[in-house]
Amino acid sequence: MFATLQCGRFQLSLKRPLVMGIVNVTPDSFSDGNAHFRVNQAIEHGLQLVEEGADILDIGGESTRPGAQAVSADEEIFRILPVIQGLLSAGVPLSVDTCKPEVMRQVLQAGVDMINDIRGFSSPQAVDAVREADCALCLMHMQGEPRTMQQAPHYDDVVAEVRAYLAAGARRLRDAGVAAQRIVLDPGFGFGKTAAHNYALLHHLPQAVGADYPSLVGVSRKSMIGALTGRPANQRLGGSVAAALAAAARGAHILRVHDVADTLDALTIWSAIDDPTLSQGAAA
Ligand code: 7PJ
């Protein structure tokens, strides 16, 4: 039904799961507060992820962790624009993780290929900022606001509620004139959800995202991994890769991860098990 995703300068094949590498440009993700230093490190990190095989890069200038400080549109643009410019010729589509319409307009002007909105293009201004472009749009579910969303998440039926939100959001985009080939849906792991909610959504991924649009899953290093392994964020590689594979097995089209090389290795082995042609030419 959807063999490809219209993603700005690129038409992405969705025949195998794609890996989206995360490039954070927030002060808390770098040891040095110096802006120039931060930009160079982020560009280098992005290039490294492309070398590891990333299919897409997702650049974010605002931390959405529970309790994180809000930043102005100007500050967000100041952080990410030079990183975008440094990565535009890296050979893969660039996505920007933002919920600010003004940031969306400016980065689209700069040439990015995808807008990833954790607020699901819920504001009419966000829809206006992206409708006439040819970028891909990732529409994510969130309950509440980043600062407070983890205080008391509640659902009567998390899978049905997330599905209804995503379907309504996609309908809003379509009604605004957005082509179906530009839309990707994301259950929003960790955004106003308990560990039990997150695992229910992962188990029922096909039901949570529906069959009309491709899906994006972001579970990398999240608290749902720490909740079961007891490990801090920098020791969640094994758990994150397991969750990414489980998402791929349930049909996820794009996996948003920190650890690109390890995730791709896991996908390579997992794919070969069900497709003997993939191991036939390999050395013994
Ligand atoms: C997600 C995201 C996600 C999408 C973040 C983190 C938190 N965008 N941005 N999906 N998570 N589409 O990476 O831990 O799950 S920021």
Side-chain angles (χ1 to χ4, degrees):
M1 198 184 334
F2 35 76
T4 60
L5 176 67
Q6 170 55 43
C7 190
R9 298 167 291 165
F10 300 81
Q11 287 262 125
L12 299 178
S13 168
L14 299 171
K15 282 205 287 277
R16 62 164 182 89
L18 301 179
V19 173
M20 168 187 263
I22 300 169
V23 180
N24 280 320
V25 204
T26 53
D28 46 310
S29 45
F30 296 94
S31 46
D32 190 312
N34 180 287
H36 179 70
F37 179 84
R38 183 174 77 208
V39 164
N40 287 335
Q41 278 210 351
I43 293 170
E44 259 179 51
H45 183 58
L47 294 173
Q48 168 71 30
L49 296 182
V50 172
E51 205 161 297
E52 291 179 19
D55 298 292
I56 309 171
L57 294 178
D58 189 39
I59 302 165
E62 179 184 35
S63 175
T64 46
R65 251 175 258 158
Q69 282 283 308
V71 296
S72 69
D74 283 348
E75 171 65 18
E76 205 178 317
I77 291 162
F78 173 77
R79 288 181 188 172
I80 62 177
L81 204 55
V83 177
I84 291 166
Q85 283 155 352
L87 291 171
L88 262 178
S89 59
V92 302
L94 300 185
S95 164
V96 169
D97 190 341
T98 187
C99 51
K100 296 189 183 73
E102 196 183 324
V103 176
M104 294 178 189
R105 286 184 193 277
Q106 290 218 32
V107 298
L108 285 170
Q109 197 72 39
V112 308
D113 306 285
M114 180 167 186
I115 300 292
N116 172 23
D117 183 1
I118 61 160
R119 293 178 192 273
F121 301 94
S122 53
S123 87
Q125 291 83 356
V127 176
D128 275 344
V130 300
R131 66 202 291 179
E132 279 169 15
D134 62 359
C135 61
L137 303 172
C138 180
L139 191 162
M140 196 195 81
H141 173 273
M142 170 167 63
Q143 183 182 81
E145 290 288 316
R147 212 168 43 78
T148 52
M149 64 191 176
Q150 290 307 105
Q151 283 170 12
H154 173 82
Y155 300 84
D156 290 323
D157 181 339
V158 67
V159 175
E161 288 170 47
V162 167
R163 182 194 182 103
Y165 174 96
L166 294 176
R171 172 51 42 212
R172 234 179 328 101
L173 289 174
R174 299 282 290 118
D175 287 346
V178 171
Q181 292 71 27
R182 295 174 56 198
I183 299 173
V184 180
L185 303 181
D186 180 348
F189 291 92
F191 287 85
K193 286 145 190 126
T194 63
H197 294 141
N198 288 317
Y199 282 95
L201 285 169
L202 190 49
H203 180 71
H204 296 290
L205 186 67
Q207 292 81 355
V209 295
D212 294 336
Y213 299 96
S215 57
L216 187 150
V217 164
V219 289
S220 184
R221 300 185 189 173
K222 283 190 177 169
S223 65
M224 64 183 283
I225 307 297
L228 298 193
T229 60
R231 297 190 189 280
N234 63 356
Q235 292 171 27
R236 294 178 186 164
L237 173 61
S240 298
V241 170
L245 276 191
R250 285 162 175 75
H253 296 87
I254 303 176
L255 304 169
R256 181 181 178 278
V257 306
H258 299 88
D259 303 288
V260 169
D262 294 286
T263 305
L264 276 168
D265 279 359
L267 285 170
T268 297
I269 301 307
W270 172 77
S271 314
I273 292 161
D274 288 322
D275 183 353
T277 62
L278 295 175
S279 59
Q280 262 152 27

